[in-house]
Amino acid sequence: MKDRTRFRRYDGGDPLAAPVDIAEALDAIGEDVMAGYSPERAMREFLRRGGRDQTGLDDLARRVAERRRDLVQRHHMDGTLQEVRELLDHALLEERKQLARDAMMDDGERAFRELQLENLPPNTAAAVSELSSYDWQSREAREDYEKIRDLLGRELLDQRFAGMKEALEGATDADRAAVNAMLQDLNQLLEKHQRGEDSQEDFEEFMQRHGDFFPENPSNIDELLDSLAQRAAAAQRMLNSMSPEQREELMQLSQQAFGSPELMEQLARMDANLQSLRPGEDWGGSEQMGGEEGLGLGDGTGVFQDIADLDTLADQLSQSYGGARMDDVDLDALARQLGDQAAVDARTLQRLEQALRDSGYMKRGTDGQYRLSPKAMRQLGKALLRDVAERMSGRQGQRELQKAGAAGDLSGATREWAFGDTEPWHVPRTMLNGVLRRAGDPAGPMLSIEDVEVQETEARTQAAVALLVDTSFSMAMDGRWVPMKRTALALHTLIRSRFRGDALQLIGFGRHAEVMEIEELTALDAMWDKGTNLHHALLLANRHFRKHPNAQPVLLIVTDGEPTSHLEPDGEVYFSYPPHPLTVAYAVRELDNAGRLGAQTTFFRLGEDPGLARFIDSMAQRVGGRVVAPELDDLGAAVVGSYLGSRGPRGGGYGGYGDWFGGRGFWVGD
């Protein structure tokens, strides 16, 4: 058996490119999750949109649609018929010239021949058929007529076997005999396979004899069948797209192919076998082709194959079917249709999707749905915290500082050394970093500046922090849902990473209140039940404060409305709008209880309602608290700043958004 090994140009992108960076994707996914998307859908949305420097699925799908539209609008179906007509007209012209200048010809015979030519049917196929027995006097005319037969044969073969038109140009009788022999053996193999009687040896023997006709080099009968059926189905769709007159004329002309009907018989037999073996191919489709560029049978079949490829790619790139994965995208077809760079872009998206699934940032729950893992929540929280830090440092007009505390007491936390740091090194972590680095780079230095970690310091007492976030209908309706979640996640990340001794409790309150883990709050869908149960939320906050009697209570309340519901003594929720006096009284009573526990209270008022402003101002004055009315973009900075300033030595003096750097140190992010 001959060696059919194939080599092709490498098209996998830059082999030295850095691994895909999922940081941008994770940030975008986190934003969408907080807006109410599932993590799976959020990942799909990012892959669809793409990133700053990454082409997304939408752009690839747009280019696929544009190429398909161009193919349909540029071409029409009668290219072969036009070419045959031109050859026939030239042959008739040359024959008439020869008749006119042949002085030795009998006048009666000349007149008879001229009459034959004058009375040919207007239909091209009928004219070609009628001239099959004509004795041409002109050598050029005879050659043109033979070209018609040769062209039709090559076009018909090119419809089923790509490249045949060029390969058989100027073919001899021996070449045509080889084609007929191949078609006979192919049909026998297909019929044997249909009966289930074939073997791999039969296929190998066929390829040994006729492998030159199949440059795609199939390795088994199924690959051969797939290739042949796809092209034959495209040829049938092209035929379906022609007008009835064009189809009829083409069928008549095809009988003249190579001057023998045997070719058409073998091709018809092959088409029947392929339709039986591959009924799932699109044998009945068609297209409306309205362009100006004529298509021959072979080229037209190639165009219809391209259209089928583009339709499949459009479906794959949509990722709209169940169980869709980026691995479903046919990169070879994408490279054929849009070029190598498109395949590289799609491959990058494949790697990005795989990295997101394998990195531990997304975990599948018991219900089979993906969720953001604690690792992802920490990463997302750090990004939000950096954004908060930039806003805070920008308003203060200060450079970014990395101190977690002001007095030099060790907090137990460490971080990478940065230029200008004066904190003591954390020697065990520094040495461990060096060992880990050398495991991948044994020839590297014993210690590098990138290995150094310093110890953070702080000067503070423990705090018990209760963040109460309004989850009522109005928060979702007025676009405050995502900023609320971003705020909660930023504060949660700050306390868990920088102030581990503090106890944070997140409490969401709508028609009723509940304690939430950060993952639960972040994934919370917009709640459309009316009600703002501040009373229930304060009950939970005071319970949290009582669990930590030695900690300084810090009460942070984010809301955009007055309390409209409360808990009855029997535990039922009572709702009334406008607010019932009893609802307000219950909320005021629990706020007083928080004040007696020593809670430093800050209200973050969202919205410009004057009635709400008066109510919250009076509530804050009642417990010596304060009110901040930030813009939505500044909500996170306001809440974090209030937390940082809540335990300052200045005893509650608040400047700007709460003496951001007054008591909890000079923290401005990672």
Side-chain angles (χ1 to χ4, degrees):
M1 178 180 177
K2 65 181 179 180
D3 183 13
R4 296 196 300 274
T5 302
R6 293 176 294 167
F7 297 92
R8 66 179 184 182
R9 179 169 55 90
Y10 173 75
D11 59 358
D14 183 1
L16 302 180
V20 292
D21 182 8
I22 64 174
E24 181 187 3
L26 184 62
D27 289 346
I29 290 170
E31 288 288 329
D32 285 344
V33 167
M34 287 190 288
Y37 288 13
S38 69
E40 179 78 12
R41 181 183 173 191
M43 180 179 67
R44 293 281 167 221
E45 285 296 307
F46 178 79
L47 294 175
R48 183 180 63 78
R49 294 190 305 262
R52 287 186 299 271
D53 301 316
Q54 173 61 50
T55 300
L57 291 173
D58 277 358
D59 185 65
L60 293 174
R62 174 186 57 77
R63 292 169 58 191
V64 164
E66 288 175 350
R67 172 157 171 74
R68 190 190 194 283
R69 185 167 58 250
D70 176 67
L71 289 176
V72 171
Q73 294 178 352
R74 190 198 321 163
H75 300 104
H76 62 84
M77 295 288 94
D78 55 354
T80 295
L81 296 177
Q82 284 184 342
E83 194 170 355
V84 169
R85 183 77 248 181
E86 290 171 3
L87 285 171
L88 180 60
D89 289 344
H90 189 264
L92 293 175
L93 177 62
E94 292 299 323
E95 181 68 7
R96 289 190 178 99
K97 289 179 180 178
Q98 180 62 32
L99 293 176
R101 63 174 173 255
D102 190 351
M104 304 301 295
M105 182 179 293
D106 180 74
D107 290 340
E109 182 180 354
R110 180 184 296 107
F112 177 74
R113 289 180 177 275
E114 289 175 347
L115 187 62
Q116 278 186 291
L117 299 181
E118 287 294 334
N119 290 285
L120 287 173
N123 181 279
T124 303
V128 171
S129 177
E130 187 167 318
L131 289 169
S132 61
S133 58
Y134 181 80
D135 182 18
W136 297 92
Q137 299 301 301
S138 167
R139 179 178 58 82
E140 292 84 354
R142 184 183 303 107
E143 289 176 354
D144 282 341
Y145 185 78
E146 292 301 324
K147 285 180 182 178
I148 291 175
R149 292 182 168 186
D150 181 68
L151 171 67
L152 290 169
R154 290 187 292 120
E155 286 278 18
L156 289 169
L157 287 171
D158 201 41
Q159 272 194 304
R160 277 72 171 188
F161 307 94
M164 277 286 197
K165 182 178 179 180
E166 291 76 16
L168 290 178
E169 188 170 6
T172 64
D173 291 338
D175 295 328
R176 298 188 185 100
V179 170
N180 278 324
M182 181 273 293
L183 289 173
Q184 289 176 358
D185 290 349
L186 175 61
N187 281 315
Q188 290 175 6
L189 177 64
L190 296 180
E191 289 159 0
K192 196 172 183 180
H193 180 73
Q194 195 168 6
R195 296 191 302 268
E197 299 173 358
D198 66 314
S199 64
Q200 182 65 18
E201 288 74 17
D202 293 329
F203 171 78
E204 297 290 350
E205 181 181 351
F206 173 81
M207 292 301 294
Q208 182 70 28
R209 295 177 60 188
H210 306 295
D212 291 339
F213 290 101
F214 304 94
E216 61 273 14
N217 194 19
S219 59
N220 54 53
I221 183 66
D222 288 320
E223 289 186 10
L224 176 64
L225 269 172
D226 289 339
S227 174
L228 290 173
Q230 288 168 9
R231 190 158 179 91
Q236 184 61 49
R237 291 195 299 275
M238 180 182 180
L239 191 65
N240 298 341
S241 302
M242 295 180 178
S243 67
E245 295 78 10
Q246 288 174 328
R247 277 197 299 272
E248 178 63 26
E249 192 170 3
L250 185 62
M251 290 300 98
Q252 293 178 20
L253 281 172
S254 63
Q255 302 301 323
Q256 304 296 321
F258 289 146
S260 169
E262 294 179 5
L263 174 65
M264 282 303 297
E265 292 174 2
Q266 292 292 344
L267 290 177
R269 179 182 169 193
M270 184 186 77
D271 287 346
N273 287 329
L274 291 174
Q275 289 195 39
S276 176
L277 289 166
R278 288 294 185 270
E281 293 289 339
D282 182 9
W283 299 94
S286 63
E287 294 290 339
Q288 292 293 326
M289 311 289 279
E292 297 180 355
E293 184 177 326
L295 284 173
L297 297 181
D299 292 339
T301 299
V303 167
F304 274 80
Q305 277 193 296
D306 287 342
I307 291 174
D309 273 355
L310 293 167
D311 288 340
T312 301
L313 285 171
D315 187 49
Q316 294 169 351
L317 293 171
S318 73
Q319 297 282 287
S320 58
Y321 48 91
R325 296 287 294 267
M326 279 301 304
D327 288 342
D328 298 340
V329 178
D330 187 338
L331 298 182
D332 290 335
L334 196 61
R336 284 196 306 271
Q337 300 301 331
L338 300 184
D340 291 340
Q341 185 56 48
V344 171
D345 291 335
R347 185 181 291 107
T348 302
L349 290 175
Q350 287 181 346
R351 292 171 179 167
L352 180 60
E353 180 190 48
Q354 193 62 44
L356 285 168
R357 295 183 185 277
D358 295 345
S359 63
Y361 288 114
M362 298 175 65
K363 288 189 174 181
R364 194 182 293 276
T366 56
D367 58 356
Q369 299 297 316
Y370 278 99
R371 292 182 173 84
L372 293 183
S373 67
K375 179 181 178 181
M377 298 302 298
R378 289 193 298 271
Q379 185 73 17
L380 181 58
K382 288 179 181 179
L384 294 176
L385 207 50
R386 284 194 297 270
D387 181 63
V388 168
E390 290 173 1
R391 291 181 177 275
M392 292 170 66
S393 61
R395 278 195 173 76
Q396 294 291 319
Q398 301 173 0
R399 71 178 180 90
E400 290 191 3
L401 299 175
Q402 298 285 349
K403 296 182 180 179
D409 293 337
L410 298 180
S411 68
T414 65
R415 57 176 169 76
E416 291 184 11
W417 177 88
F419 179 77
D421 281 338
T422 59
E423 289 78 12
W425 286 17
H426 192 285
V427 176
R429 291 298 300 270
T430 299
M431 298 304 297
L432 177 61
N433 291 340
V435 171
L436 293 175
R437 178 180 48 76
R438 289 198 306 278
D441 182 18
M446 293 292 292
L447 195 65
S448 172
I449 192 64
E450 289 82 8
D451 301 330
V452 177
E453 291 198 21
V454 296
Q455 303 184 68
E456 293 182 336
T457 61
E458 60 182 0
R460 61 180 177 82
T461 57
Q462 184 185 21
V465 184
L467 175 61
L468 282 55
V469 291
D470 192 341
T471 59
S472 63
F473 168 79
S474 59
M475 289 286 286
M477 182 178 65
D478 295 333
R480 298 161 184 154
W481 197 253
V482 173
M484 174 270 290
K485 291 183 178 182
R486 290 171 59 91
T487 298
L489 183 53
L491 182 62
H492 178 274
T493 303
L494 175 62
I495 292 177
R496 289 292 181 264
S497 62
R498 298 288 185 145
F499 304 100
R500 298 184 181 92
D502 287 357
L504 171 65
Q505 187 166 89
L506 302 174
I507 301 171
F509 63 99
R511 197 174 187 89
H512 66 276
E514 60 179 314
V515 176
M516 296 182 174
E517 295 297 326
I518 187 61
E519 294 84 3
E520 183 183 2
L521 177 61
T522 302
L524 185 67
D525 285 336
M527 303 176 68
W528 303 105
D529 289 339
K530 295 181 179 180
T532 304
N533 200 332
L534 181 59
H535 167 237
H536 192 187
L538 289 169
L539 281 171
L540 296 176
N542 288 336
R543 184 178 67 179
H544 174 62
F545 296 150
R546 293 187 183 100
K547 287 181 179 179
H548 302 86
N550 297 321
Q552 169 62 55
V554 178
L555 178 61
L556 308 173
I557 304 171
V558 179
T559 185
D560 69 345
E562 301 172 68
T564 55
S565 62
H566 66 266
L567 284 185
E568 295 283 359
D570 61 359
E572 292 296 320
V573 173
Y574 175 85
F575 169 78
S576 174
Y577 184 84
H580 193 281
L582 188 59
T583 300
V584 176
Y586 276 135
V588 169
R589 184 182 67 186
E590 286 307 314
L591 185 64
D592 289 344
N593 289 338
R596 282 190 285 272
L597 291 171
Q600 295 191 11
T601 303
T602 305
F603 284 89
F604 299 89
R605 174 174 56 80
L606 304 179
E608 301 298 331
D609 180 57
L612 174 65
R614 288 192 297 271
F615 173 78
I616 289 183
D617 286 344
S618 63
M619 292 276 281
Q621 291 173 8
R622 188 177 183 90
V623 292
R626 62 198 178 99
V627 178
V628 179
E631 298 292 334
L632 282 180
D633 289 344
D634 286 332
L635 179 60
V639 172
V640 169
S642 177
Y643 164 71
L644 291 174
S646 62
R647 298 299 307 280
R650 286 171 250 185
Y654 304 106
Y657 276 159
D659 191 18
W660 285 345
F661 305 100
R664 307 197 72 82
F666 295 97
W667 174 87
V668 189
D670 259 330

